[in-house]
Amino acid sequence: MSEEARPLAGAWRALRRRPDTVAAATVVLFFALMAAFPALFTSTSPRSCPIRDARLDPQGWGAAHPLGTDALGCDVLATLVHGVRPSLLLAAVVVGVSVMIGVTLGLLAGYYLGWVDYLVSRAVEVFLVVPLLLAALLVLSLFQGVDLGAGTFQVILLPAVVLILFGWMPYARYVRASTLEAKNLDYVTAARSLGASDVRIMVRHVLPNAIGTVTALLPTSVAGVISAEAVLSFLGIGVRPPATSWGIQIEQGSEWVTGGAPHILLAPLVCLVATVLALVVLGDALRDALDPRLAR
Amino acid sequence: MRVRKAGGTGPEGTGRAAAERDGRTASSRAPLLEVRDLAVEFRTAEGTVRAVDGLSYRVDAGRTLAVVGESGSGKSVSSLAVMGLLPDGARVSRGQVLLAGEDLLTLSRREHRDRCGDRVAMVFQDALAALNPVHTVGYQLTEALRARRGLSRRDAARRAVELLDLVRVPNARGRVKDHPHQFSGGMRQRVMIAIALAMDPDVLIADEPTTALDVTVQAQVLRLLAEIQAERRMGLVLITHDLGVVAGVADDVTVMYAGRVVERAPVRDTFRAPAHPYTRALLRSIPSAASGGPQGADARRPRLSVIPGRPPSPAALPAGCAFHPRCDLAGDLCRSERPPLTTALTTQPHDDASSYPRASACHFAAEVLASHDVPAAASGRPRPTGRRDARETEEPTDA
Amino acid sequence: MPEPVLEVRQLVRHFPVRRGLLRRTVATVKAVDGVSFTLAAGRTLGLVGESGSGKSTLARMLAGIERPTAGQVLVHGEDVARLSRAGRKRLRRDVQMVFQDPYTSLNPRMSVGEIVGEPFAIHRITPAGGRRAAVGELLELVGLEPGHASRYPHQFSGGQRQRIGIARALALRPGILVCDEPVSALDVSVQGQVVNLLQDLQEELGLSYLFVAHDLGVVRHIAHEVAVMYLGHVVEHGPSGDVYDDARHPYTRALLSAAPVPDPAVRFAPAGDAGRGDGAITLEGEPPSPTNPPAGCVFHTRCPLARALGSEAADGALAGETAVLTGERPGGGHHVPERCARTAPVLEPRAACHFARSVPAAVKVES
């Protein structure tokens, strides 16, 4: 039994005891490193694309194109490595901001009910009903002539705005439902009878028990964001060339799966699946580690 | 109270079934249901945990056996094992469940449940959870009848009304079309009992049937169970934690602690003179509604007599007698050696001739029996107003 | 008579039942419908009743969780509703609550130290000697060890968790504890430990308890006075010895005779047999819905005394009383005295029953 009072230290110890967690953390760290220092992983520029080298098969480590080249002759490994940063940054920003918006609105709606709930619930419905693509086209037309620049952040700004706008609703719904459930628990009533403020009750008592469903949603949302970005790129409001992303690679590679060059799709897809699975495992482990009932 | 005439509109089952049952009970004195040396194990992360260890009991026609214990004593798990309804991860590791002489545990799980469906029925504590919210009560009452006995829709509908009548649900004809949530707690429990009675069982196992009910409704349901049982000469196994309920309805009692039987006796014997320190302490710890309470404003009021500590986890049972850490009689022997359930106890003969031999699993059973002081319940104290006793309370049998 | 620390005057709590798009109020649940009592320092008032009687709603109003629809709650003579926000917070500190279910009343994600220390955090108080020391003292007060502060609720048994809940309630040094079924979720062998602890604390700290329970035995043991609730009304209120030994209200009698007692001589026998059937009052049916409580005396639809007197009155055998027919279905039902069906009885002096004086006779009539 753990006598540990500091939950974080206990959480870390619980994490270490699970080999799958360690493997997942390694995968995530690997890609994070790749996003931060792409030069460590490839010396080829993703922008040098001699068309005569198009669709070369993977050549193995040490060769000029370890993972082959894509339809335009760009090096797949280089594109992959340089696509990590926009993809993961976009995923982190979109999911992070959506969670913040969704959790806040869901919490307020579930806790106060009444007109707050009415407004939030109707907003959720409206945003669920409007198709993502339609809204994306709208944003596109709004920002058509605007040059946002080519920095890492500017590149993902437009897709981020669109995806956040249409990504917060599930969190709001889940958190609202679990708030409704949690706020009638005896320990919440106990806090209220002690005179605790609404903010304290929400933050200390309701939220920790409502957040579990959200952590379960996160990994798949990351995958969803990365692939949705590909569709937006197709429309012209995603990550714009010359910058590249996993979504764009997957989008382009899918054309050549049956055309004799499946590696163009497989390389980014494997990376995406590995990232998502790693996040699923980490999310599970984190949830267990933060729950004192499961600490041994 | 209304007394139903046997053989009236009350569903006595088909004539064949009734005759068969009468023949069976008359021809042999064999118990309807007998459990022998039952052990149930759970696989958990910490290893195998024995939830029930060596439970034996028998139920005769027309008698009520109470299985008493606190949470974790194994009383509910054992009844699930009898019914073949153990959850995943639990298995019977030893013992027999004999239904009219046939060992159900040698059968396949499916056959086991089939056999139980015909002869043994179960009533659960939480009627709302045990009933399906999307079907009408009438449908659920006759589901088994239609599936197993092939009753026509018309006959089934008539039978459903009969069953609701039997459990005294007012306006039965109108209510068969209602859904479970339209019934109050007490009425739902009656519906559960009616469903259990639909197949005309020989034995009814009721797991905390009135725990979720208010006292006045509990009294109604217990009375109903007693009436139905007397009418049909059913065997009733009542699983409960409430010694008041045990005293109110049971003929025999089996007291469980930490998965084992600690005492077994006719109810009157146990309550008059418990033969196990656990039973004795339990009886003493019940605050009485009939006497006691604060007297003066300033005087130090009496404290309840309590059992120190708490029931052990089945995963970490104490060595020797499982009760020894909480027992005021515990000696070295108790800490090292597990006392067997011995039947060599003499009891006073009384009118309530029972085939239930007294037994206690205590090294000092004879001392407990001989030296017990007066349990609060059996003393000649005044009873709550509004109730007179059927029999005069005997003086405690102090040696 | 010691000075009252808590007084309740004509307290009412109605819950509107809203339906439809416009959330129109279609009905009102009269959970608590005009309850008055006083609680003296160092004394225990037991509140008994069945589910739906309003006893838990009443407890929650006193603990400040529910707002009364009407009526007054006076703590130390001050009307809670008339105070400023700060005043209410100060009074609230003086009335604390112990909950029924020790498994849901403690936040599983907080350590015991955080749970017991939360009242200090909420009221921004630093107790003398520091919060950690204060938590340790509170844990010792309820029979736990100060070292338990770093553990989590799931590491404790039900009885220990209830002790943690009591420690939390005591943190702000309240004068009054509202205990809502504090032992009913516990095993029999553990119940007594918690009841004894509450009694010890009362003597040590001079606490007053409002002790809500359905277990009549526990209430008799701990309470100086008992109030019996039925459908939002207190139907009988008096010193617990008097109420238990010589109940004046037919409902109290029915409740007492329905409670199982650990004595095999008192049986729930089938009707007609000897045993409980003889002399005991068994109520028929279940309490009516608090949405639409009966007019007159709320108990008259199930009252065995009203039925007995009603049939006498119908036969003209009861001077000065006329009978009316009552029941759920028209045509069916029973005769009851007109008074019972028309006018609500007042709680005077002990039982709210028009025929309180006839109650002992009712038992004989019924059997």
Side-chain angles (χ1 to χ4, degrees):
Chain A
M1 254 185 208
S2 163
E3 295 274 337
E4 195 59 63
R6 287 166 302 164
L8 279 181
W12 171 238
R13 266 192 294 142
L15 280 181
R16 268 189 322 185
R17 232 168 275 147
R18 296 162 59 153
D20 56 339
T21 314
V22 176
T26 312
V27 170
V28 171
L29 278 178
F30 176 76
F31 283 116
L33 203 65
M34 199 181 267
F37 309 106
L40 288 178
F41 295 85
T42 180
S43 50
T44 318
S45 163
R47 290 178 207 168
S48 75
C49 306
I51 195 73
R52 62 174 189 283
D53 287 345
R55 297 197 302 285
L56 290 180
D57 283 340
Q59 296 162 333
W61 291 118
H65 302 293
L67 293 178
T69 57
D70 67 10
L72 301 171
C74 312
D75 182 56
V76 171
L77 178 65
T79 322
L80 200 62
V81 168
H82 286 276
V84 171
R85 190 185 294 174
S87 294
L88 290 192
L89 192 64
L90 179 73
V93 167
V94 168
V95 173
V97 177
S98 308
V99 165
M100 274 196 290
I101 296 174
V103 166
T104 310
L105 291 180
L107 198 55
L108 293 173
Y111 189 80
Y112 288 109
L113 294 176
W115 62 267
V116 183
D117 182 41
Y118 187 84
L119 286 184
V120 171
S121 297
R122 294 300 88 79
V124 165
E125 281 154 21
V126 166
F127 278 93
L128 281 176
V129 163
V130 176
L132 172 65
L133 288 184
L134 195 71
L137 286 172
L138 190 74
V139 173
L140 180 66
S141 66
L142 280 176
F143 286 87
Q144 207 147 32
V146 186
D147 183 24
L148 292 164
T152 316
F153 200 73
Q154 284 85 338
V155 161
I156 62 158
L157 190 60
L158 269 190
V161 167
V162 173
L163 290 174
I164 288 167
L165 214 50
F166 289 88
W168 59 273
M169 300 88 73
Y171 308 110
R173 281 192 145 184
Y174 279 104
V175 170
R176 177 184 174 272
S178 28
T179 302
L180 280 179
E181 208 176 296
K183 77 169 187 174
N184 288 322
L185 288 173
D186 278 352
Y187 62 77
V188 176
T189 312
R192 207 177 319 150
S193 78
L194 284 168
S197 65
D198 287 350
V199 173
R200 184 185 172 87
I201 291 174
M202 280 192 269
V203 172
R204 294 252 20 199
H205 296 285
V206 176
L207 193 57
N209 292 291
I211 210 80
T213 49
V214 170
T215 42
L217 275 180
L218 288 185
T220 44
S221 316
V222 167
V225 167
I226 290 176
S227 42
E229 183 267 326
V231 180
L232 294 183
S233 298
F234 190 74
L235 290 173
I237 53 165
V239 172
R240 268 182 262 195
T244 179
S245 73
W246 288 358
I248 296 173
Q249 270 189 293
I250 291 170
E251 173 71 30
Q252 291 173 349
S254 56
E255 292 171 33
W256 295 97
V257 175
T258 51
H263 66 272
I264 304 175
L265 173 72
L266 283 180
L269 198 60
V270 166
C271 290
L272 176 62
V273 170
T275 311
V276 169
L277 285 182
L279 289 174
V280 169
V281 172
L282 278 186
D284 262 10
L286 189 68
R287 199 179 47 201
D288 292 356
L290 288 177
D291 192 338
R293 281 166 295 192
L294 296 172
R296 302 242 171 82
Chain B
M1 289 289 293
R2 303 141 299 183
V3 181
R4 300 192 67 81
K5 286 194 199 77
T9 52
E12 280 297 294
T14 58
R16 186 189 53 79
E20 194 182 277
R21 188 179 55 230
D22 290 341
R24 204 162 50 225
T25 50
S27 64
S28 63
R29 295 298 302 157
L32 294 175
L33 176 71
E34 187 170 6
V35 173
R36 284 190 191 155
D37 196 26
L38 185 74
V40 180
E41 292 179 346
F42 276 84
R43 279 194 305 275
T44 69
E46 281 87 34
T48 306
V49 169
R50 189 160 285 179
V52 179
D53 192 3
L55 169 67
S56 301
Y57 65 68
R58 51 180 288 170
V59 194
D60 294 317
R63 285 190 79 83
T64 300
L65 167 73
V67 179
V68 187
E70 297 179 88
S71 51
S73 63
K75 59 188 194 304
S76 291
V77 173
S78 65
S79 62
L80 292 178
V82 169
M83 296 294 291
L85 297 172
L86 280 178
D88 292 339
R91 64 180 196 97
V92 174
S93 58
R94 203 176 71 222
Q96 293 176 303
V97 174
L98 299 167
L99 182 61
E102 183 185 23
D103 184 2
L104 296 179
L105 296 179
T106 60
L107 303 174
S108 75
R109 221 172 147 110
R110 201 195 154 82
E111 282 176 314
H112 183 166
R113 285 188 200 160
D114 256 25
R115 223 51 63 89
C116 279
D118 262 2
R119 299 258 185 88
V120 186
M122 191 151 176
V123 175
F124 297 90
Q125 172 179 348
D126 187 353
L128 191 57
L131 292 169
N132 187 333
V134 302
H135 291 301
T136 64
V137 156
Y139 177 88
Q140 297 183 62
L141 274 166
T142 55
E143 203 175 3
L145 282 172
R146 274 176 290 129
R148 284 160 174 267
R149 299 260 164 87
L151 248 63
S152 72
R153 187 182 284 259
R154 240 181 105 113
D155 289 347
R158 204 178 52 230
R159 179 82 173 134
V161 176
E162 284 174 3
L163 284 165
L164 284 191
D165 260 338
L166 178 75
V167 294
R168 324 267 189 273
V169 171
N171 186 20
R173 197 169 295 279
R175 301 223 67 181
V176 283
K177 292 185 197 74
D178 284 350
H179 287 84
H181 71 266
Q182 291 166 291
F183 288 80
S184 66
M187 285 298 153
R188 270 199 293 268
Q189 201 52 273
R190 286 168 193 258
V191 170
M192 279 287 295
I193 295 170
I195 290 174
L197 293 175
M199 296 300 284
D200 210 11
D202 298 337
V203 178
L204 186 66
I205 300 181
D207 189 352
E208 304 269 9
T210 58
T211 303
L213 304 177
D214 281 320
V215 279
T216 60
V217 180
Q218 164 171 284
Q220 293 168 5
V221 171
L222 290 176
R223 201 178 278 251
L224 174 74
L225 277 175
E227 275 177 62
I228 290 171
Q229 187 200 21
E231 239 169 68
R232 320 177 127 218
R233 296 203 33 82
M234 223 169 35
L236 179 61
V237 180
L238 182 74
I239 293 155
T240 181
H241 70 279
D242 189 333
L243 287 166
V245 170
V246 174
V249 295
D251 301 305
D252 306 310
V253 62
T254 290
V255 183
M256 291 184 77
Y257 185 77
R260 300 208 181 94
V261 175
V262 293
E263 175 162 6
R264 185 180 79 194
V267 162
R268 290 164 64 74
D269 290 345
T270 302
F271 281 75
R272 192 189 305 145
H276 194 282
Y278 173 64
T279 321
R280 186 173 68 178
L282 215 50
L283 279 169
R284 278 190 198 153
S285 68
I286 304 171
S288 165
S291 62
Q295 302 300 323
D298 303 314
R300 188 179 155 82
R301 291 168 290 155
R303 293 293 182 266
L304 283 172
S305 110
V306 299
I307 310 179
R310 54 176 156 135
S313 148
L317 289 184
C321 172
F323 187 60
H324 86 253
R326 309 176 71 190
C327 183
D328 48 1
L329 290 179
D332 287 340
L333 186 61
C334 304
R335 282 182 268 276
S336 58
E337 206 172 299
R338 201 166 93 199
L341 190 69
T342 41
T343 49
L345 294 168
T346 50
T347 49
Q348 290 71 28
H350 50 75
D351 55 324
D352 203 11
S354 168
S355 54
Y356 220 70
R358 271 206 95 159
S360 164
C362 177
H363 292 303
F364 302 106
E367 283 90 330
V368 177
L369 201 52
S371 72
H372 78 88
D373 56 326
V374 188
S379 63
R381 58 173 169 73
R383 297 247 146 53
T385 50
R387 177 165 53 205
R388 275 177 277 132
D389 295 334
R391 308 172 187 116
E392 278 306 306
T393 317
E394 291 93 332
E395 276 306 300
T397 53
D398 237 317
Chain C
M1 185 75 187
E3 166 209 1
V5 287
L6 180 71
E7 189 174 354
V8 164
R9 288 187 194 151
Q10 286 301 316
L11 206 59
V12 174
R13 180 67 172 120
H14 289 178
F15 295 99
V17 180
R18 295 184 207 272
R19 289 263 163 72
L21 198 63
L22 299 172
R23 317 279 301 147
R24 256 196 316 217
T25 302
V26 293
T28 307
V29 176
K30 296 174 179 166
V32 175
D33 207 10
V35 168
S36 307
F37 60 78
T38 58
L39 177 61
R43 308 275 286 181
T44 301
L45 171 65
L47 198 57
V48 298
E50 298 181 276
S51 47
S53 63
K55 60 187 195 302
S56 283
T57 307
L58 181 57
R60 290 163 70 92
M61 280 193 283
L62 297 180
I65 300 163
E66 300 274 358
R67 252 166 211 274
T69 307
Q72 291 172 296
V73 178
L74 284 77
V75 179
H76 297 302
E78 286 184 273
D79 188 344
V80 176
R82 290 201 188 159
L83 287 170
S84 65
R85 208 186 169 87
R88 268 211 301 279
K89 206 166 174 178
R90 177 171 51 81
L91 277 191
R92 181 173 277 186
R93 282 172 54 180
D94 212 41
V95 186
Q96 289 297 323
M97 184 147 171
V98 176
F99 292 83
Q100 172 177 9
D101 187 345
Y103 292 88
T104 60
S105 60
L106 307 179
N107 189 338
R109 285 163 196 272
M110 286 165 74
S111 71
V112 170
E114 290 176 285
I115 291 170
V116 175
E118 195 180 19
F120 300 130
I122 288 171
H123 290 270
R124 297 198 175 81
I125 297 171
T126 312
R131 201 176 283 177
R132 180 187 285 257
V135 167
E137 274 167 35
L138 284 164
L139 290 176
E140 272 185 327
L141 188 64
V142 297
L144 297 170
E145 288 161 32
H148 286 157
S150 58
R151 299 199 189 174
Y152 285 87
H154 70 98
Q155 294 170 304
F156 294 89
S157 67
Q160 289 174 311
R161 283 160 164 255
Q162 202 57 296
R163 287 170 191 266
I164 296 168
I166 293 170
R168 170 178 60 190
L170 292 176
L172 299 171
R173 306 194 164 276
I176 303 155
L177 276 198
V178 177
C179 307
D180 187 8
E181 302 265 9
V183 298
S184 63
L186 304 177
D187 272 324
V188 188
S189 75
V190 179
Q191 279 189 3
Q193 299 174 4
V194 173
V195 169
N196 287 354
L197 170 69
L198 287 171
Q199 275 184 295
D200 290 342
L201 291 171
Q202 182 164 54
E203 277 165 23
E204 205 173 319
L205 307 173
L207 297 169
S208 307
Y209 293 144
L210 182 81
F211 193 94
V212 179
H214 67 270
D215 186 326
L216 298 164
V218 171
V219 172
R220 167 152 210 175
H221 180 81
I222 199 168
H224 300 89
E225 283 177 44
V226 183
V228 182
M229 283 190 77
Y230 183 82
L231 274 183
H233 295 261
V234 170
V235 295
E236 181 156 4
H237 181 176
S240 65
D242 294 357
V243 173
Y244 277 85
D245 293 334
D246 184 25
R248 295 274 114 196
H249 197 283
Y251 178 67
T252 313
R253 296 227 159 191
L255 207 56
L256 284 169
S257 69
V261 287
D263 182 350
V266 187
R267 306 281 284 179
F268 290 99
D273 280 22
R276 238 172 220 262
D278 186 27
I281 303 173
T282 305
L283 291 184
E284 283 177 37
E286 289 170 37
S289 157
T291 316
N292 189 17
C297 169
V298 282
F299 188 55
H300 84 261
T301 52
R302 296 171 79 202
C303 181
L305 177 63
R307 283 180 194 184
L309 296 173
S311 59
E312 275 181 55
D315 298 341
L318 204 62
E321 294 291 341
T322 47
V324 292
L325 214 52
T326 184
E328 282 121 55
R329 277 160 295 160
H334 309 266
H335 285 288
V336 298
E338 191 171 0
R339 267 203 281 170
C340 298
R342 300 270 187 269
T343 44
V346 286
L347 189 65
E348 195 64 38
R350 205 171 90 202
C353 176
H354 293 301
F355 298 96
R357 243 161 275 182
S358 320
V359 167
V363 178
K364 294 191 189 95
V365 171
E366 175 64 11
S367 65

